Amino acid sequence: MAGALAEPVGGVVALVRFSDGQTVLASHGNADEGRPIVGDDSFRIASLTKTYIATLILSLEDDGVLSVDDPVADHLPDLGIDERITIRHLLTHSSGLADHWGPSLEAMESCAPCSFTPDELVALIDVAHPGFDPGSHWSYSNTSYVILGMLVEAITGNDLADELRRRVLEPAGVSQSYLIGLEPTLVEPVRGYWLIEGTTPVEYPHSYDRLMTRVDAAGSLVATAPDVVRFLDALFGGRIVPDDRVSEMLEAVPRTPDGGGEPVRFGFGIHHPMDGDWWMHGGGIPGFRSAYLRDPTTDATVVVLTNCSGCLDVDGTELDVIGLATELMELALSEPGGESARGSQAPPAR
């Protein structure tokens, strides 16, 4: 952990809960120039948000408000989405919908002050004509989770942030997690740094307020590493939704139509390596990278958060957050009281 980053700015926080229950929280580097990073600092955790949003959908299903097999068009009739696409397809990235991330970047770069509404993000792709038959396999689409956020508000009549807090964050007992830009700021996240090739990492030079409008429900959560573990403990402990809903969450879709050739399946906002036992998700936006891994047999858990994207480790290569988390999970499982490390390689972060 010490020396994970070979940079004058940026830092890493890692929380490891070993298979015997022992927990270690470590930090290295800087929150900003002149202030060392600490274990309970808040980070933009990017696509880790998707696991929380998926849990919210399951809470609504458990209350009978919706079924994950409902066609999305039944709840958002004005969206013009293909009627074959269900909520389940959005959750598992198996809708066939394209990802708005690239088109939104092009639009933002051509209009520096621009920001987006969820409707404008969805309008950047063709929701009426998915790129493959819904449910046949998965292809990552941030737009699917933007639509899920819109769906929550349409069904409940409440703000997404309010529903997430009431149904997920409060039952999990987390105190510093919130959807930045979608509700009042609870605590400022640490500064984000990125590496421009051939230079020292610099503070992200653009507006995070505008950037986060491109992310919306797909990745706006701010959290601490301890809060992420509390959420995962509550989720897998059945304290947010019942165990049968968690089991539904873990029904994973293969990466390819024939189910072969790729090592990763996708459940409801959560990855599962085909040849391994760990559930996980990775995340990244400019200035931040994040990952969690969870072993369902022992409850060993790893969370790694960094505020420096593209930054170099001590070997001179880009810091691999997923790789670091995988190494820490292998350590967590090999300690006394745990099983031998069972490491299939975790998938790349998104």
Side-chain angles (χ1 to χ4, degrees), residues 61-140:
E61 182 180 50
D62 197 58
D63 280 356
V65 177
L66 56 79
S67 166
V68 296
D69 293 314
D70 290 344
V72 177
D74 287 356
H75 299 290
L76 295 170
D78 296 334
L79 202 60
I81 194 169
D82 186 303
E83 294 184 355
R84 297 174 297 167
I85 295 175
T86 67
I87 297 171
R88 181 187 299 274
H89 295 146
L90 297 182
L91 289 164
T92 56
H93 295 288
S94 62
S95 66
L97 295 180
D99 192 338
H100 72 267
W101 189 252
S104 67
L105 176 60
E106 295 169 7
M108 191 172 75
E109 288 180 342
S110 66
C111 176
C114 286
S115 59
F116 299 90
T117 66
D119 290 295
E120 289 169 340
L121 293 175
V122 174
L124 292 170
I125 69 165
D126 185 356
V127 297
H129 301 95
F132 56 81
D133 288 336
S136 62
H137 60 290
W138 71 265
S139 180
Y140 200 89

Side-chain angles (χ1 to χ4, degrees), residues 136-138 252-266 272-275:
S136 62
H137 60 290
W138 71 265
V253 175
R255 179 69 175 85
T256 57
D258 61 5
E262 291 285 343
V264 181
R265 294 180 289 162
F266 215 109
H272 185 257
M274 291 287 280
D275 299 324

Side-chain angles (χ1 to χ4, degrees), residues 42-61:
S42 293
F43 292 76
R44 301 174 190 268
I45 64 171
S47 284
L48 271 60
T49 305
K50 292 179 174 68
T51 311
Y52 294 72
I53 296 297
T55 304
L56 170 57
I57 295 294
L58 287 173
S59 174
L60 291 167
E61 182 180 50

Side-chain angles (χ1 to χ4, degrees), residues 1-328:
M1 179 69 182
L5 278 177
E7 305 290 358
V9 295
V12 183
V13 168
L15 191 154
V16 180
R17 211 238 326 277
F18 292 80
S19 55
D20 62 2
Q22 177 188 3
T23 298
V24 174
L25 178 61
S27 59
H28 171 76
N30 299 295
D32 52 48
E33 293 186 62
R35 183 174 83 79
I37 210 159
V38 296
D40 62 354
D41 271 330
S42 293
F43 292 76
R44 301 174 190 268
I45 64 171
S47 284
L48 271 60
T49 305
K50 292 179 174 68
T51 311
Y52 294 72
I53 296 297
T55 304
L56 170 57
I57 295 294
L58 287 173
S59 174
L60 291 167
E61 182 180 50
D62 197 58
D63 280 356
V65 177
L66 56 79
S67 166
V68 296
D69 293 314
D70 290 344
V72 177
D74 287 356
H75 299 290
L76 295 170
D78 296 334
L79 202 60
I81 194 169
D82 186 303
E83 294 184 355
R84 297 174 297 167
I85 295 175
T86 67
I87 297 171
R88 181 187 299 274
H89 295 146
L90 297 182
L91 289 164
T92 56
H93 295 288
S94 62
S95 66
L97 295 180
D99 192 338
H100 72 267
W101 189 252
S104 67
L105 176 60
E106 295 169 7
M108 191 172 75
E109 288 180 342
S110 66
C111 176
C114 286
S115 59
F116 299 90
T117 66
D119 290 295
E120 289 169 340
L121 293 175
V122 174
L124 292 170
I125 69 165
D126 185 356
V127 297
H129 301 95
F132 56 81
D133 288 336
S136 62
H137 60 290
W138 71 265
S139 180
Y140 200 89
S141 173
N142 286 289
T143 317
S144 292
Y145 277 75
V146 172
I147 295 172
L148 286 170
M150 297 168 66
L151 185 144
V152 168
E153 295 190 343
I155 289 176
T156 66
N158 299 322
D159 289 342
L160 174 65
D162 292 340
E163 286 294 320
L164 185 69
R165 183 158 306 284
R166 181 171 69 87
R167 291 179 173 273
V168 177
L169 301 180
E170 289 179 353
V174 301
S175 59
Q176 296 189 63
S177 300
Y178 69 100
L179 291 172
I180 194 165
L182 301 180
E183 61 182 315
T185 297
L186 292 180
V187 58
E188 287 289 344
V190 296
R191 294 184 182 181
Y193 295 87
W194 67 347
L195 180 65
I196 301 174
E197 186 175 358
T199 71
T200 298
V202 297
E203 187 174 355
Y204 179 65
H206 306 300
S207 166
Y208 270 114
D209 290 342
R210 290 197 300 273
L211 175 67
M212 301 315 290
T213 69
R214 293 177 57 210
V215 178
D216 195 64
S220 292
L221 202 71
V222 168
T224 67
D227 266 5
V228 174
V229 173
R230 291 186 188 100
F231 161 70
L232 294 172
D233 284 346
L235 172 61
F236 287 98
R239 299 199 303 274
I240 304 177
V241 293
D243 290 342
D244 59 340
R245 297 298 181 201
V246 178
S247 296
E248 185 176 28
M249 186 179 202
L250 302 182
E251 295 173 1
V253 175
R255 179 69 175 85
T256 57
D258 61 5
E262 291 285 343
V264 181
R265 294 180 289 162
F266 215 109
F268 292 8
I270 190 168
H271 283 302
H272 185 257
M274 291 287 280
D275 299 324
D277 295 324
W278 307 335
W279 290 95
M280 60 83 60
H281 210 297
I285 58 172
F288 294 88
R289 293 289 184 269
S290 56
Y292 72 75
L293 276 70
R294 174 84 173 197
D295 179 72
T297 302
T298 65
D299 292 337
T301 305
V302 172
V303 176
V304 177
L305 308 176
T306 178
N307 64 330
C308 202
S309 62
C311 293
L312 305 182
D313 64 19
V314 291
D315 296 324
T317 58
E318 182 175 342
L319 176 66
D320 179 4
V321 171
I322 297 291
L324 176 58
T326 301
E327 292 177 12
L328 292 173

